[in-house]
Amino acid sequence: MNKHKRITKKEGLALLKNSDLLGLGEWADGIRKGLHPEKTVTFIVDRNINYTNICINKCTFCAFWRDKEDRDAYVLNKDELYKKIQETIALGGTQILMQGGLHPDFDIEYYIDLLRSIKSRFAINVHGFSPPEICYIADKSDLTIKETLNILKAAGLDSIPGGGAEILSDRVREILSPKKIKSSSWLKVMENAHMLGMRTTATMMFGSVEKPEDIIEHLEAIRNLQDRTGGFTAFIPWTFQPGNTELGSKGQRVKGSKEGTVPDLRTERSEVVEPGLSPHAATAIEYLRVLALSRLYLDNIENIQASWVTQGLKIAGVALRFGANDFGSTMIEENVVAAAGVSYRVSMEDIIRTIKNTGFKAAQRDTYYNILKEF
Amino acid sequence: MLAKTKNKVLSGKRLSKEDAIKLFETDDIFTLGKLASYAARKKNGNKAYFIKNIHINPTNICVNRCKFCAFSRSKGEEGAYEMTIDEIIHKLRAMSYELQPPYSEVHIVGGLHPDWPFEYYLEMISRIKKYFPKICIKAFTATEIDYFSRISGKGIVEILTELKRHGLDTMPGGGAEIFDIGVRNQLCPEKLSGEGWLAVMKAAHKAGIKTNATMLYGHVENYGQRVDHLLRLRELQDKTKGFQAFIPLAYHPKNNEIGGTYSSGIDDLKTIAVSRLVLDNFSHIKAYWIMLGEKLSQVALLFGADDIDGTIIDEKVTHSAGALSSKGLTAGELINMIKKAGKVPVERDSFYRKLKVKSQKRDVNE
Ligand code: SF4
Ligand code: SF4
């Protein structure tokens, strides 16, 4: 394989299926060094604000959604929202990640008001509304995706998170999130956003029901779009977390359980899995392999994020030698993953220390990867 | 940079102190990992071992109170506990109902209790053996053996012989920490010295008791002191051949007097790899998942480790110090981790004899 040429789908598949991980890691590490020779690993101080957990989509892997009638269903009121943003700014935060469920009663007016009221009070980057939300807003208000994005941008939306991508293969999406938008819609939202000058990230959630071919299909779709638009700032692969979800423990979704009281369903899990679904979460080795391959495959995306939230700090540190150059967000609040029982409470100091102990300089960045502060 | 060391490894030559320090200092973790994998494969092929075992910590009351220890308590202090032999038997019995198929080893270590006589430990061992004759008893660190000798007035050899006669099968490798006296004075001034530790192990090996060896790293020591530790183990092993596995233990900073930080994942992997390369006379290097976390232990299988220990039920010592790993992994999870690392899982007994190779379809997603 020519290491200076773009990796083809076939080559990517071969690397994913059987390659020596250390060799792959070394290759990805070399590419990372070439792209980021300054030996700095960045992170962003931001807060995840989930404006509502009421969602009509009910994706099988999601532990976060509630029905409107559930006793712990909520819509965040403005005072709470402002308080959260104030706290974020006080902690040196520069961005809020605004995401939420697909609420049956909201239309675009709700989102316009939400954005305007934030932007009129705070100088903070709003990184918000992943493609499923954008499509839903468009749908509810009879607008095109482009119109929707234009309106939201005018109201103050700065950039768009890459969530809801899971695996961009409709076969997989049919199992994981049958009501969620199709791959083509996800890509269309991103393409339109990029055309309007908005930067976005791209994610991939793997380790559920996908096949190696699906992962390659995903990487290929992202690379193709990036060739056309150049709008992706970063790629973030992360692993499906079996836990408090329908997919991980069929029929045992425990509603109303709070963080810390989530029952451990590991033991039952192996008995009640979906056909074709691994009873085990993707292991660290699979994670590092996909991460390294992402670094190699996505030669047109500058940044690859390590996912400390799903991997823990030690593996996230190791990931810095397998292609990653960014630690993502300090996640002042992480509801979605915490609800699935994987909650690594990690402070900024822990992140900085991990980066330094792994042999890199640590720096806080903004949404667009400009360095704000070195540590 | 590693070319010279690489040649030595490939031609089967022993590494020097300088080689070992260079390996710790290198940034080239990939070459290091590949060399360690090569060395591991030469010893154990593509196998990765695990064992089904249970941990019993009979008491956390300890006269030593080492500074890094979050587990121990003084007598009468809140949270101090002691188990009667009946309670231990009861617990083991309950566990053997719960675990199907049952465990093959019980691992017993605890605090240095101010009042328990040596006879109490003998009775503990012989009663466990009587109730569970097929289960291997791996018990007591060198620190405890030395303590038994002091409280009973008997010599080390006599203590070991009596324990063996009552049913002790093997000994764990704890209490080694870092042999260097300067480090030891900072870490655990009251504990048995490095020389004392090695002397107990030598006596155990002579008495026909196989043991493990450990090293607690990532606190105040430097690479030179780590390497010195490894070399002293290698030297004793040359003489006795009594060590089965070497287990590097990552220091945990929570709830103790030393504080500090968790070791980085890269440091953990390097330590595994250098251990594999330096300890050329040890058959096994264990990535103890309780200490490293299950995810890192799996990656360690690509850096020279060939054992990830067991399905440990109820581990108290490390979790008191803030271990982030889960408290028990099922055999299915261990097998999956090993297979996904491209290795062949082998369930072993306390002496690394193969019990049965698992290939349950249900456990793996092919
Ligand atoms: S993943 Fe998003 S769209 Fe799916 S159920 Fe959860 S909140 Fe709703
Ligand atoms: S490490 Fe062992 S000897 Fe030291 S205080 Fe803890 S239990 Fe006692």
Side-chain angles (χ1 to χ4, degrees):
Chain A
M1 194 175 299
N2 185 336
K3 290 199 174 182
H4 302 289
K5 274 212 193 116
R6 195 164 243 208
I7 294 172
T8 63
K9 279 171 89 166
K10 214 172 132 211
E11 289 165 341
L13 193 59
L15 290 171
L16 188 59
K17 279 186 166 167
N18 42 30
S19 60
D20 144 48
L21 178 62
L22 292 184
L24 194 70
E26 188 170 16
W27 183 7
D29 194 47
I31 300 288
R32 190 264 314 154
K33 267 186 200 142
L35 287 167
H36 306 279
E38 63 293 337
K39 273 208 128 200
T40 299
V41 169
T42 46
F43 61 88
I44 188 164
V45 179
D46 83 343
R47 182 165 198 168
N48 199 357
I49 297 180
N50 301 120
Y51 51 92
T52 181
N53 64 353
I54 298 168
C55 186
I56 56 156
N57 253 21
K58 310 182 180 182
C59 303
T60 44
F61 63 86
C62 175
F64 173 71
W65 65 266
R66 295 291 181 273
D67 275 323
K68 221 173 144 185
E69 295 74 33
D70 288 339
R71 85 188 139 76
D72 53 353
Y74 72 83
V75 176
L76 207 63
N77 70 41
K78 290 248 173 91
D79 288 339
E80 289 171 279
L81 176 70
Y82 298 154
K83 199 169 141 246
K84 281 175 189 281
I85 299 176
Q86 254 152 17
E87 286 165 2
T88 307
I89 292 172
L91 288 165
T94 59
Q95 170 179 288
I96 53 168
L97 171 57
M98 281 273 276
Q99 295 187 104
L102 311 183
H103 194 292
D105 307 334
F106 291 175
D107 64 9
I108 198 157
E109 296 306 324
Y110 172 85
Y111 299 91
I112 294 173
D113 175 59
L114 189 67
L115 289 164
R116 282 203 183 130
S117 46
I118 295 171
K119 282 299 199 177
S120 63
R121 283 172 183 79
F122 303 101
I124 197 155
N125 189 90
V126 180
H127 187 56
F129 314 131
S130 58
E133 289 165 276
I134 302 285
C135 288
Y136 182 68
I137 299 167
D139 216 42
K140 287 286 275 189
S141 309
D142 273 330
L143 297 162
T144 65
I145 286 175
K146 196 171 167 191
E147 285 161 351
T148 307
L149 286 166
N150 245 326
I151 295 170
L152 295 175
K153 190 178 178 223
L157 183 64
D158 295 296
S159 55
I160 294 181
E166 325 330 347
I167 292 275
L168 294 171
S169 139
D170 286 332
R171 185 191 71 80
V172 177
R173 299 176 79 77
E174 201 51 51
I175 304 170
L176 282 183
S177 42
K179 293 196 200 155
K180 220 176 213 174
I181 56 169
K182 299 278 176 266
S183 306
S184 54
S185 307
W186 189 94
L187 292 162
K188 192 173 162 200
V189 170
M190 289 312 191
E191 178 153 21
N192 276 288
H194 295 167
M195 295 304 184
L196 291 172
M198 296 166 96
R199 303 301 301 272
T200 80
T201 54
T203 62
M204 172 168 75
M205 181 189 82
F206 66 97
S208 59
V209 296
E210 84 285 348
K211 296 200 170 80
E213 287 78 4
D214 299 314
I215 290 179
I216 300 298
E217 198 180 316
H218 185 106
L219 293 174
E220 177 72 14
I222 299 286
R223 189 169 73 181
N224 284 341
L225 179 54
Q226 180 75 342
D227 273 345
R228 291 205 297 280
T229 65
F232 290 120
T233 54
F235 183 68
I236 314 159
W238 59 287
T239 58
F240 164 65
Q241 303 295 316
N244 186 18
T245 68
E246 271 181 29
L247 195 60
S249 53
K250 204 176 183 204
Q252 299 190 46
R253 184 186 158 79
V254 185
K255 288 207 187 170
S257 55
K258 285 219 176 59
E259 192 186 331
T261 61
V262 178
D264 189 358
L265 297 173
R266 280 183 200 242
T267 40
E268 289 98 311
R269 208 199 312 147
S270 52
E271 309 302 326
V272 286
V273 288
E274 298 253 358
L277 175 66
S278 164
H280 307 286
T283 63
I285 284 181
E286 294 159 90
Y287 170 74
L288 292 173
R289 188 185 299 281
V290 169
L291 184 84
L293 180 65
S294 306
R295 176 60 290 166
L296 296 171
Y297 206 95
L298 301 173
D299 55 2
N300 52 5
I301 294 187
E302 213 172 313
N303 304 292
I304 305 284
Q305 284 187 20
S307 171
W308 61 264
V309 178
T310 62
Q311 301 304 310
L313 281 172
K314 282 202 171 183
I315 293 295
V318 173
L320 299 177
R321 297 301 304 278
F322 284 76
N325 66 295
D326 186 87
F327 237 63
S329 143
T330 52
M331 258 346 144
I332 298 170
E333 189 166 346
E334 227 305 355
N335 287 324
V336 181
V337 182
V342 198
S343 164
Y344 289 97
R345 275 171 211 78
V346 177
S347 67
M348 192 165 101
E349 287 78 62
D350 288 324
I351 287 179
I352 293 170
R353 178 181 47 73
T354 304
I355 293 171
K356 286 187 174 173
N357 282 349
T358 310
F360 295 92
K361 288 176 280 182
Q364 183 186 346
R365 62 163 171 88
D366 67 11
T367 310
Y368 309 99
Y369 288 79
N370 300 307
I371 304 272
L372 299 177
K373 189 173 169 192
E374 306 211 354
F375 292 90
Chain B
M1 230 199 76
L2 297 178
K4 211 180 106 218
T5 321
K6 189 172 169 180
N7 282 337
K8 270 189 165 179
V9 172
L10 297 182
S11 57
K13 288 211 188 84
R14 192 157 253 208
L15 299 187
S16 67
K17 182 169 183 176
E18 291 67 39
D19 294 328
I21 292 180
K22 229 184 241 161
L23 288 174
F24 266 121
E25 284 171 349
T26 185
D27 199 36
D28 186 2
I29 57 162
F30 303 104
T31 300
L32 179 59
K34 286 176 203 165
L35 283 178
S37 280
Y38 168 83
R41 203 166 303 123
K42 257 181 32 186
K43 297 251 182 226
N44 296 294
N46 212 22
K47 293 197 274 274
Y49 295 92
F50 70 97
I51 185 167
K52 289 209 199 80
N53 61 10
I54 290 193
H55 277 218
I56 298 275
N57 307 121
T59 181
N60 62 352
I61 300 173
C62 185
V63 299
N64 259 15
R65 307 311 307 272
C66 302
K67 291 202 175 69
F68 63 84
C69 177
F71 164 73
S72 63
R73 297 283 181 277
S74 295
K75 208 180 163 188
E77 193 182 334
E78 207 189 315
Y81 75 86
E82 41 193 49
M83 292 172 87
T84 64
I85 295 174
D86 283 343
E87 279 167 352
I88 293 173
I89 299 286
H90 183 81
K91 184 168 168 187
L92 291 174
R93 212 184 251 151
M95 286 308 202
S96 46
Y97 287 126
E98 226 169 85
L99 296 178
Q100 286 299 337
Y103 49 90
S104 64
E105 178 185 86
V106 51
H107 174 122
I108 309 171
V109 295
L112 311 179
H113 195 285
D115 310 325
W116 288 356
F118 178 51
E119 288 67 34
Y120 185 78
Y121 298 93
L122 289 178
E123 197 194 329
M124 186 189 296
I125 298 295
S126 58
R127 282 190 52 202
I128 294 173
K129 204 61 185 186
K130 193 173 134 220
Y131 281 105
F132 308 97
K134 282 194 192 137
I135 292 173
C136 261
I137 303 178
K138 177 170 83 180
F140 309 130
T141 63
T143 315
E144 289 167 279
I145 300 293
D146 173 69
Y147 183 68
F148 299 159
S149 158
R150 283 190 280 135
I151 56 174
S152 66
K154 296 178 177 172
I156 299 280
V157 176
E158 199 182 339
I159 294 284
L160 290 164
T161 323
E162 282 194 35
L163 283 169
K164 190 171 183 225
R165 194 156 46 80
H166 282 76
L168 179 98
D169 295 296
T170 63
M171 278 170 57
E177 324 314 356
I178 289 276
F179 293 142
D180 180 87
I181 187 163
V183 173
R184 242 176 154 74
N185 281 339
Q186 287 180 66
L187 219 57
C188 49
E190 275 135 80
K191 202 173 230 170
L192 176 66
S193 68
E195 292 71 29
W197 188 95
L198 289 160
V200 170
M201 287 310 189
K202 191 172 174 185
H205 298 168
K206 276 220 170 111
I209 302 169
K210 294 270 184 198
T211 77
N212 290 336
T214 61
M215 170 173 78
L216 184 76
Y217 67 93
H219 36 83
V220 301
E221 88 294 352
N222 58 36
Y223 288 152
Q225 288 153 340
R226 285 190 203 179
V227 172
D228 167 70
H229 187 97
L230 296 176
L231 294 180
R232 289 212 233 176
L233 288 172
R234 187 170 76 182
E235 196 187 332
L236 179 57
Q237 177 76 334
D238 273 343
K239 293 192 189 116
T240 65
K241 308 266 183 300
F243 289 119
Q244 299 202 102
F246 175 70
I247 313 159
L249 302 172
Y251 168 73
H252 282 63
K254 296 277 151 74
N255 310 325
N256 69 29
E257 281 180 42
I258 309 265
T261 59
Y262 289 98
S263 56
S264 74
I266 295 288
D267 192 19
D268 294 337
L269 295 175
K270 273 186 175 178
T271 308
I272 291 273
V274 179
S275 308
R276 177 62 288 165
L277 291 167
V278 172
L279 299 176
D280 52 13
N281 52 5
F282 275 65
S283 296
H284 305 286
I285 303 291
K286 190 190 285 186
Y288 187 44
W289 68 262
I290 291 265
M291 285 297 227
L292 297 176
E294 51 268 42
K295 284 180 179 291
L296 202 100
S297 299
Q298 189 204 20
V299 182
L301 293 174
L302 303 184
F303 281 79
D306 64 280
D307 186 357
I308 47 177
D309 207 74
T311 42
I312 300 156
I313 315 296
D314 210 13
E315 201 280 342
K316 292 204 179 74
V317 180
T318 313
H319 283 97
S320 319
L324 302 172
S325 54
S326 17
K327 281 201 181 177
L329 284 177
T330 65
E333 284 167 314
L334 286 172
I335 291 168
N336 178 58
M337 273 164 62
I338 293 171
K339 287 197 167 177
K340 293 281 167 63
K343 304 271 168 181
V344 180
V346 178
E347 182 174 349
R348 65 169 177 90
D349 69 4
S350 303
F351 301 98
Y352 287 84
R353 288 177 302 215
K354 171 171 148 177
L355 287 181
K356 60 182 168 209
V357 180
K358 295 281 211 150
S359 61
Q360 288 167 300
K361 209 65 185 145
R362 195 169 61 84
D363 277 322
V364 269
N365 183 30
E366 299 293 358

